[in-house]
Amino acid sequence: MLYQSTRGDLNRVSGAKAITCGLANDGGLFVPETFPTLTSDSILELTKKSYSKRTAYIIGLFMSDFTSKELEEYSDTAYSCNRDSGFTNREIAPLYKTDESTHFLELWHGPTCAFKDMALQIMPRLLTGSLKKLGEKREVCVLVATSGDTGKAALNGFCDVQGTKIMVFYPRDGVSEVQKLQMTTQHGDNVNVIAVEGNFDDAQTGVKAIFTDDKLDGKLDEMGCFLSSANSINWGRLVPQIAYYVSAYCDLINKNEIIPGEKINFCVPTGNFGNILAAYYAERMGLPINKLICASNRNDVLAHFINTGQYNKNRPFYTTISPSMDILVSSNLERLLFELSGKNGETVKSYMSALISEGQYQISDNVKAELSRIFQAGYCSEEDTKKTIKYTFKDRGYLIDTHTAVAYKVLQDYRERTSDDSVSVVVSTASPYKFCEAVLEALGIQSKESGANLIDELAKATRTEIPAPLRALKNEKERFTKTIKKTEMKSSVLDFVRGR
Ligand SMILES: *Cc1c(COP(=O)(O)O)cnc(C)c1O
């Protein structure tokens, strides 16, 4: 299996190379040349296997440069469940049923309590394995700019992984209290966390500038080190996510909720379009999917695109209570456009340059028709997000976070609009305990607490269980308290690599 760029570069690379490079030479994203097939027999075979074995199988279909023994070893370590590390639920990605045709796929039982763990627990192993295959001797330094969930998940995934260092920059005023504590208390000898004055954009622009600085590159090379990224445009983040869609389907068969071959819907709270793109790939492989429903929050640029065929980022940016979906340019959409246009790199290139020069593009009728074959979309206001959390808890006894609430509301709207009564899975992306302030407010509880105390307050108010990794936060010491200016980011990377 080889990989090509979404922008037409004729060069083909191996899976290991795609993961190591992150971006293609022409600025495009790496995509598999073809989709492997998932037959109905192989789905039935997977129903008998554990989450870890299902994942190793799916990744193996895409990463032909790894042996199944290697992938099973990575997967078994990444998706383990024992008393003091890894996942806190034996099923890894369990389903929770709230009514006859609605299931929540809980992707937040990993060590950092958000769905980013599903990829970032295994991605460091894929990356170091790839470096070994390519004969790379230098140490890799992973840089991350985060708006919250990715930073902690990457820190946890790379913590004490041999041959790697990881440095996370987060906006001083842009993450939730729990998210900040999670990062500043991170263990490990190869990690560093720094707050940057400004918002997420400042941190992100700073990291991008570091990646394109050739002089810095040379200095790092002399020190036996090179930079890499762990953000969601890396193929190594995407491929493990295909597995949980297949796994959820297997579990629904095992629970007699569907018969093999029955088509189901997935509704996904969407930001950078990585999660829902993995569902689309699963569908292209042959997983029986009826509709993929893309859920946006008040920043409804994606919902608008799917409904009209026009992508327009010239609009106000809103800070919402579902911050991981606050985004105006969804990078992974480029991979979908490539498939919808019949793998036409020139078409993708023209859309992307229009996006840069005019802030918008309009897809052709053919591409739009292909989009509408499977995608549906909607958005959810701040008010409706809170109402949905309250109603789901009061009526169903089920506590969900702000991102998951956006998806649940959008699914309900879709059902009303279409009377489609297929079995539907709401993809649940974070533990409600990561967003205590907003969840408490939604439940109508006025809180005067802050930091880790908010966690106890939410537990008391809802009599739900605190996820073990968050319960432990109260007793952790803050290790990383430094705040820097955007202009100091570059020198802080050099200091970190030098070991200062
Ligand atoms: C990252 C994130 C999302 C958005 O996922 P994408 O793959 O960027 O679309 C949704 N919810 C939570 C909790 C997240 O952390």
Side-chain angles (χ1 to χ4, degrees), residues 63 115 228 232 280 307 324 327 377 401 403:
M63 303 291 288
F115 97 95
S228 183
S232 79
Y280 173 75
N307 288 323
S324 302
I327 197 160
D401 96 293
H403 305 76

Side-chain angles (χ1 to χ4, degrees), residues 39-105:
T39 62
S40 45
D41 282 347
S42 50
I43 293 175
L44 284 181
E45 215 31 61
L46 289 175
T47 59
K48 301 174 205 148
K49 295 192 174 164
S50 65
Y51 185 84
S52 158
K53 294 288 185 288
R54 289 171 185 168
T55 304
Y57 176 80
I58 299 293
I59 298 181
L61 294 177
F62 286 95
M63 303 291 288
S64 50
D65 35 0
F66 286 81
T67 66
S68 49
K69 185 163 166 283
E70 283 171 325
L71 292 174
E72 288 191 5
E73 199 181 292
Y74 299 163
S75 195
D76 286 345
T77 341
Y79 305 110
S80 67
C81 173
N82 47 49
R83 210 167 330 129
D84 19 62
S85 74
F87 283 70
T88 53
N89 186 302
R90 224 159 268 294
E91 289 180 69
I92 308 298
L95 288 165
Y96 184 95
K97 181 176 178 176
T98 52
D99 66 53
E100 238 359 89
S101 56
T102 313
H103 303 261
F104 286 73
L105 175 60

Side-chain angles (χ1 to χ4, degrees), residues 114-116 149 269-275 324-325 401 403 429-430 435:
F115 97 95
K116 305 288 193 290
D149 293 332
T270 299
N272 213 15
F273 211 79
N275 201 352
S324 302
M325 300 158 71
D401 96 293
H403 305 76
T429 49
F435 301 95

Side-chain angles (χ1 to χ4, degrees), residues 168-205:
V168 170
F169 295 101
Y170 71 92
R172 187 186 54 189
D173 311 313
V175 299
S176 86
E177 300 239 12
V178 171
Q179 286 176 319
K180 177 174 172 216
L181 263 182
Q182 280 187 298
M183 289 189 277
T184 55
T185 55
Q186 175 66 42
H187 297 216
D189 293 330
N190 65 335
V191 306
N192 196 6
V193 178
I194 295 186
V196 180
E197 287 178 8
N199 58 24
F200 172 60
D201 240 13
D202 293 311
Q204 170 131 303
T205 325

